[in-house]
Amino acid sequence: MPGETFSKGSTWMSGFGSKPTRGAFVRGMIVLPALATLVTEVAKADDTKVAQSAVQYQTKPNGDKQCSKCAFFIPGATPDANGTCKVVDGVISPNGYCTAFNAK
Ligand code: SF4
């Protein structure tokens, strides 16, 4: 600032609190792991699908039961294309089947 004087030892950045204190460092050491845990928990909350192995997913039908006839199936671009599933993780064949089958 024009006409502003600085005392000995001060710098133009001293008003911004640029020098970290031990307290700020300790608070950071406590807050950062807690924040990382929170982010991980939020990510998990979005990952609600089960693994294919957990529901014995197979790429062939079980009699007349198959993914394309299941209420959880999300079709691909064409009727024969692989799709996804609302409850099972990964790529799902329209001709597949698992123990979570739920007829439309
Ligand atoms: S729940 Fe099982 S049978 Fe139904 S669409 Fe998903 S993977 Fe296929």
Side-chain angles (χ1 to χ4, degrees):
M1 293 289 207
E4 186 175 346
T5 59
F6 294 97
S7 62
K8 186 176 181 182
S10 72
T11 67
W12 67 275
M13 287 185 62
S14 62
F16 296 102
S18 61
K19 184 177 180 181
T21 63
R22 179 185 291 197
F25 179 77
V26 171
R27 282 192 295 276
M29 293 297 288
I30 294 169
V31 171
L32 289 178
L35 184 60
T37 301
L38 177 63
V39 169
T40 301
E41 291 302 316
V42 168
K44 282 182 184 173
D46 193 37
D47 189 21
T48 55
K49 295 183 180 184
V50 300
Q52 292 181 357
S53 60
V55 288
Q56 298 166 17
Y57 172 78
Q58 61 189 41
T59 55
K60 59 185 181 184
N62 179 12
D64 63 344
K65 297 175 184 174
Q66 62 186 65
C67 295
S68 63
K69 298 178 182 176
C70 177
F72 297 131
F73 185 62
I74 301 169
T78 65
D80 293 333
N82 288 334
T84 57
C85 176
K86 294 177 184 175
V87 296
V88 178
D89 197 20
V91 175
I92 302 295
S93 167
N95 301 317
Y97 166 80
C98 85
T99 57
F101 177 82
N102 183 21
K104 288 182 180 176

